[in-house]
Amino acid sequence: MKQKINGFYGPFFGVVDYEPDKIDEVSITELTVCGKFPVVVLVQESLDQNGNPLETLPIAITLGTYGAELRTLKVINSEQSRWGMTLAIEDIYGEYSYSIFELKIVSTDPVNKPLNPEICDISGNVKHENVAIFATKFIHKFVEAYKGVNKSKKDWIPEITPSRLSPWHKMTAKNFEGNEIWTMQVYDQRGTGVGLGNNLSDEQMQLLQTSLKRNYVEDSATKFRQLANKYKIQKDYHSFCVFVVISFEHWVFREIRTALLSKGKTNEEIDNFFYQVDKKGKKRNISREDALALAIGSKNFKNNPSYIQFIEKVVARRDSIVHGRKENLTENCTEEMVNIVSSLMTFLSSKMFPK
């Protein structure tokens, strides 16, 4: 039979035939979350000022065997209201004007495809992090479609991540009978900002002074490491993987340049080592391995376990992502990559700067 799920019957596609008595009581068939767009979404409002549903039909979104209803409400700064909203999803006033949303997600095959695998841990407990990540997939699909119908690239729209949609609130998971299995009032993934920190230790001060007195080497590696960390915090694990490799590559060439400068080489000489002109006249970098050999003296580092793991578990994942292959990454994967890269950097530093 076909039956409404908790009063929701998707207007966008039919649900799978199933027998209600085969649905387990712990199976989650409905998930409701509310959040905040970092921008103003110019669609017809379907929530009132108190966040209650209006008669306006919600926007329907589908992802595989899951369907969702999206309702929104604009919160416009008084100055913008005065001068008129001339922008679409983007909003130059940031925190002052935005849209809030309510997303209700259901399974169209509650017997075989409940929501549990998407939002629960291996013990069967609902994890708020998983709920935010799962819900973000629907919002991301909506935003991409929104940009498409506007017929403009809008490349500067903030990236849609669980952090960008925070604070999450009114998070509720129900079973087929409408009973609450899990609820959480507020979950905030926004960063709080980090200052420069406390006074440096004597050892750190000495290192800082030494660094400032020697030949300057641009530290682009730190910029990309910070980007990688940002994506890790936002649970955008694919972007983290890409940027952690970029950061490592920049670190390698930075440290090699530092090592060669300490041996009396000039920046011009090092550039001649690093860059080669191919047969077509194009300037190209030498490989990471060739560059390391300049400072270490050989390529024996390729036999080190940390380097092998870096190639097999970090670079290989990056390549899959860059070339469009599916790569399922988890928080544990990112922690593993962090440990591998950290271990490799320690090993390579000992080879480039032997005591």
Side-chain angles (χ1 to χ4, degrees):
M1 64 174 293
K2 292 184 179 181
Q3 185 169 328
K4 292 182 180 180
I5 302 173
N6 300 335
F8 174 79
Y9 189 95
F12 37 91
F13 66 109
V15 296
V16 175
D17 287 334
Y18 60 87
E19 296 180 21
D21 58 1
K22 290 187 177 181
I23 302 177
D24 195 293
E25 290 185 358
V26 297
S27 292
I28 297 172
T29 59
E30 177 184 300
L31 176 68
T32 301
V33 297
C34 296
K36 173 182 173 183
F37 281 103
V39 289
V40 174
V41 181
L42 298 184
V43 296
Q44 189 175 5
E45 293 183 336
S46 47
L47 292 174
D48 65 19
Q49 294 298 317
N50 296 317
N52 299 314
L54 297 172
E55 292 184 0
T56 306
L57 288 176
I59 294 172
I61 308 170
T62 62
L63 279 178
T65 56
Y66 305 118
E69 288 184 340
L70 174 67
R71 294 181 179 273
T72 64
L73 168 67
K74 305 181 190 71
V75 181
I76 307 298
N77 173 268
S78 59
E79 286 299 307
Q80 282 195 277
S81 178
R82 174 186 174 189
W83 294 107
M85 287 296 298
T86 57
L87 302 176
I89 189 170
E90 64 275 44
D91 170 44
I92 61 175
Y93 293 97
E95 284 298 314
Y96 298 109
S97 296
Y98 51 89
S99 288
I100 61 174
F101 68 85
E102 178 186 272
L103 188 71
K104 183 162 74 170
I105 307 170
V106 300
S107 170
T108 58
D109 185 4
V111 175
N112 302 305
K113 298 286 185 178
L115 300 175
N116 302 61
E118 301 290 342
I119 61 177
C120 296
D121 59 19
I122 57 176
S123 299
N125 299 314
V126 178
K127 302 295 291 184
H128 50 271
E129 300 98 329
N130 295 350
V131 171
I133 292 172
F134 181 51
T136 298
K137 294 178 182 179
F138 290 87
I139 301 298
H140 184 268
K141 182 175 182 179
F142 163 72
V143 170
E144 291 303 305
Y146 185 98
K147 289 191 292 186
V149 298
N150 273 280
K151 297 181 180 179
S152 60
K153 293 183 179 179
K154 301 186 183 300
D155 290 332
W156 43 284
I157 292 175
E159 184 180 3
I160 300 302
T161 65
S163 177
R164 289 285 191 180
L165 301 176
S166 290
W168 299 86
H169 56 284
K170 297 181 181 179
M171 305 167 78
T172 307
K174 297 180 180 180
N175 64 11
F176 180 74
E177 296 176 346
N179 299 321
E180 288 188 3
I181 293 179
W182 172 87
T183 183
M184 187 171 189
Q185 287 302 310
V186 178
Y187 172 52
D188 200 341
Q189 281 197 338
R190 294 173 298 179
T192 57
V194 179
L196 288 177
N198 299 321
N199 291 335
L200 297 179
S201 66
D202 292 342
E203 182 181 357
Q204 290 172 315
M205 278 300 299
Q206 183 178 358
L207 177 60
L208 173 62
Q209 186 61 79
T210 302
S211 300
L212 291 171
K213 291 171 66 175
R214 69 188 183 189
N215 289 327
Y216 173 69
V217 177
E218 183 180 1
D219 187 19
S220 56
T222 297
K223 175 181 68 176
F224 290 110
R225 175 174 54 80
Q226 290 172 333
L227 284 171
N229 288 336
K230 181 191 76 170
Y231 288 123
K232 182 174 181 291
I233 292 171
Q234 294 179 349
K235 301 187 183 301
D236 183 354
Y237 300 140
H238 289 80
S239 295
F240 163 80
C241 181
V242 171
F243 277 92
V244 80
V245 175
I246 294 175
S247 172
F248 176 77
E249 295 280 354
H250 280 257
W251 177 87
V252 164
F253 282 90
R254 183 195 72 190
E255 294 300 288
I256 294 171
R257 183 179 291 274
T258 300
L260 294 178
L261 285 171
S262 67
K263 294 178 181 179
K265 300 296 182 182
T266 66
N267 275 308
E268 184 177 2
E269 289 174 321
I270 296 172
D271 284 342
N272 289 333
F273 291 147
F274 282 177
Y275 310 115
Q276 299 175 347
V277 179
D278 63 17
K279 295 180 180 179
K280 295 182 179 180
K282 292 184 177 181
K283 191 176 183 180
R284 299 185 183 279
N285 278 50
I286 62 175
S287 70
R288 174 180 57 241
E289 289 78 9
D290 288 341
L292 284 166
L294 290 173
I296 297 176
S298 72
K299 294 184 180 180
N300 290 338
F301 59 84
K302 294 175 66 176
N303 298 320
N304 184 270
S306 60
Y307 192 85
I308 294 173
Q309 283 192 316
F310 174 70
I311 298 300
E312 294 179 350
K313 295 188 175 182
V314 183
V315 175
R317 285 166 170 162
R318 187 280 309 269
D319 290 346
S320 290
I321 294 168
V322 170
H323 293 100
R325 296 190 293 273
K326 186 175 182 180
E327 188 70 34
N328 294 319
L329 298 181
T330 64
E331 186 172 4
N332 289 337
C333 290
T334 65
E335 292 299 333
E336 180 183 42
M337 287 188 277
V338 168
N339 293 332
I340 290 172
V341 172
S342 177
S343 175
L344 178 57
M345 291 170 70
T346 300
F347 166 71
L348 292 177
S349 292
S350 69
K351 293 297 182 181
M352 287 187 281
F353 304 98
K355 295 181 179 180

